[in-house]
Amino acid sequence: MAPTTDEILKKYARKIESEMNESNINAESYSREYQQFKQDMLPELSKYKRWTDSLGGIIKIRLSEKERTKVQRYLDIAHLDVEASQSASLALVAMMLTLFPTFAVVLAVTFLKSPFPLMLTFLGFVLSIFVYYYIYSMPKRLSNIWRLKASSQMIPAVLYTVIYMKHTSNMERAIQFASDHLEIPLALDFRKVFYDVEVGKYQTIKQALEAYLETWRDYA
C-alpha cells in the first residue's frame, strides 16, 4: 500500500529535524561565502564570464532600455556578474571574427583573379549570423537551464523552510538552513538572498526573498 501524504511529510520531517540538531549555522560569515561558493560550483558559467570580460569590452554597444533590462535579468538569474552591454558586444565580436576568414578568402580569390566565391560568401554570412544569434541568446538559455534545475528542488526547499519554522519561528535561520542542505543551483539562489542584504541592495531578508520570488513570476 502506497504511503499517504501525511506519512511522507512525517518521514521527511523526522529526517530534517535530525539535521537541524546537527546543523551549526554561522550567520556572520554566511553571506560572505557567496562569491567563493559561486566560483567553485559554477565553472561552466565562469567560462562565459571570462569571454565577456576579455572580448565584451572591445566594442561599446548601447542597448535600448527595454532590451538592456531583459538581457540583464537573464544574466542576474544565472548569477553572472556581467553587464548586458558586454554580452551584446561579445556577440558582435564573435560575428566579426567569424566573418573575417570569409573576407580573407574572398580577397585572396579576387587577388588571384579567380571566379568570385559566391557560395562561400553566402555560407560565411549565414554562419556569422548564426554565431551572433547563438552568443546573443546565451544569457536567456543559461537562465532557463538554471531555473529548470532550480524548479526541481522547490519541494525539498519548501519542506526544509516550513519544518524549520515549525521548530524555530525565524525566517532568516530557516532560509539559511535550507540553503545549507539544498543542492546547486537553488542553494546558490538562497545564498544570494543573504548576499543582497549584506551588500545593501535590500534592507531585510524578507525584501530580498520577495525580490527573488518575483524572478519566478513569468516562469512559474
Side-chain angles (χ1 to χ4, degrees), residues 117-129:
L118 183 61
M119 181 59 69
L120 177 62
T121 304
F122 173 76
L123 291 176
F125 274 106
V126 171
L127 179 61
S128 65
I129 292 172

Side-chain angles (χ1 to χ4, degrees), residues 92-126:
L92 185 59
V93 170
M95 183 184 73
M96 295 176 64
L97 291 175
T98 306
L99 277 175
F100 179 77
T102 301
F103 283 135
V105 172
V106 170
L107 288 174
V109 170
T110 303
F111 180 76
L112 295 173
K113 297 182 180 180
S114 299
F116 185 78
L118 183 61
M119 181 59 69
L120 177 62
T121 304
F122 173 76
L123 291 176
F125 274 106
V126 171

